[in-house]
């Protein structure tokens, strides 16, 4: 997506996501970006299937997506907001953004195979090379998880 310019087109598909994030299977946890306001907010989708490798051990006979991976999905969505917004401003350098803090994490319901996660992330504030984000995950219109995330940039060397 090095040619991403204004206007860009939604949805952003998984091939484009792989150009923006360093994550790969089995840790790429975002399938599509469906809404976005650059530097403000983003909505992405993660389709959860029984084929996910973590379901083999979490939990046999009662598959549940680990909460840390739901948080990771939200963090990757925050990374997409940052990366797409940077590209739209002409910043072609792509520093890595690391998750450095999670606050107020809440899990309201389990995520199971067949669920489609609607990952909604809003940038609360940008502090130098760090972003503070408010995130929530929705399944069938109900919030299943929420948290605040802080991500910090580290330039690639």
């Amino acid at each position: 997506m090095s040619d991403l310019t204004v206007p860009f087109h939604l949805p952003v598909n998984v091939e484009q996501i792989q150009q923006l994030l360093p994550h790969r299977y089995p840790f790429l946890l975002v399938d599509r970006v469906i809404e976005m306001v650059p530097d403000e907010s983003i909505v992405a989708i993660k389709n959860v299937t029984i084929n996910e490798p973590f379901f083999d051990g979490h939990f046999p006979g009662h598959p549940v997506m680990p909460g840390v991976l739901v948080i990771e999905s939200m963090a990757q969505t925050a990374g997409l907001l940052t990366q797409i917004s940077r590209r739209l401003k002409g910043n072609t350098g792509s520093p890595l953004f690391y998750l450095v803090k999670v606050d107020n994490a809440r899990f309201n319901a389990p995520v199971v195979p067949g669920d489609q996660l609607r990952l909604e992330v809003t940038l609360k504030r940008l502090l130098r090379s760090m972003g503070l984000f408010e995130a929530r995950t929705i399944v069938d219109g109900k919030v299943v998880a929420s948290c605040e995330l802080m991500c910090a940039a580290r330039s690639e060397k």
Side-chain angles (χ1 to χ4, degrees):
M1 193 183 281
S2 58
D3 62 343
L4 181 64
T5 56
V6 177
F8 78 102
H9 300 285
L10 291 170
V12 176
N13 64 36
V14 73
E15 291 87 6
Q16 294 166 312
I17 289 169
Q18 288 179 323
Q19 293 176 28
L20 295 162
L21 295 179
H23 306 80
R24 296 295 178 266
Y25 177 85
F27 287 103
L28 180 58
L29 299 172
V30 180
D31 295 324
R32 178 170 290 193
V33 174
I34 59 170
E35 297 175 24
M36 187 175 146
V37 177
D39 295 316
E40 290 184 26
S41 63
I42 189 168
V43 178
I45 298 295
K46 163 66 177 152
N47 294 303
V48 180
T49 73
I50 192 62
N51 297 323
E52 307 282 356
F54 48 79
F55 285 135
D56 286 341
H58 199 269
F59 299 101
H62 183 68
V64 174
M65 184 174 183
V68 295
L69 295 181
V70 175
I71 290 175
E72 176 64 20
S73 297
M74 292 185 280
Q76 289 181 20
T77 302
L80 287 166
L81 173 60
T82 302
Q83 293 296 355
I84 294 170
S85 296
R86 288 175 46 80
R87 297 279 178 100
L88 290 173
K89 291 181 202 168
N91 295 331
T92 56
S94 185
L96 291 175
F97 284 82
Y98 291 99
L99 178 61
V100 295
K101 187 175 178 184
V102 177
D103 280 331
N104 303 317
R106 295 187 55 92
F107 301 97
N108 303 323
V111 173
V112 298
D115 284 348
Q116 183 178 70
L117 307 184
R118 179 181 168 94
L119 305 157
E120 299 181 349
V121 176
T122 303
L123 177 63
K124 290 179 70 173
R125 91 180 73 103
L126 202 53
L127 313 158
R128 289 170 280 185
S129 63
M130 295 190 296
L132 180 62
F133 302 88
E134 189 171 300
R136 65 186 193 160
T137 300
I138 298 168
V139 173
D140 295 330
K142 295 178 184 157
V143 177
V144 298
S146 60
C147 65
E148 287 184 353
L149 305 167
M150 183 172 285
C151 300
R154 178 172 184 246
S155 296
E156 294 178 278
K157 296 182 180 190

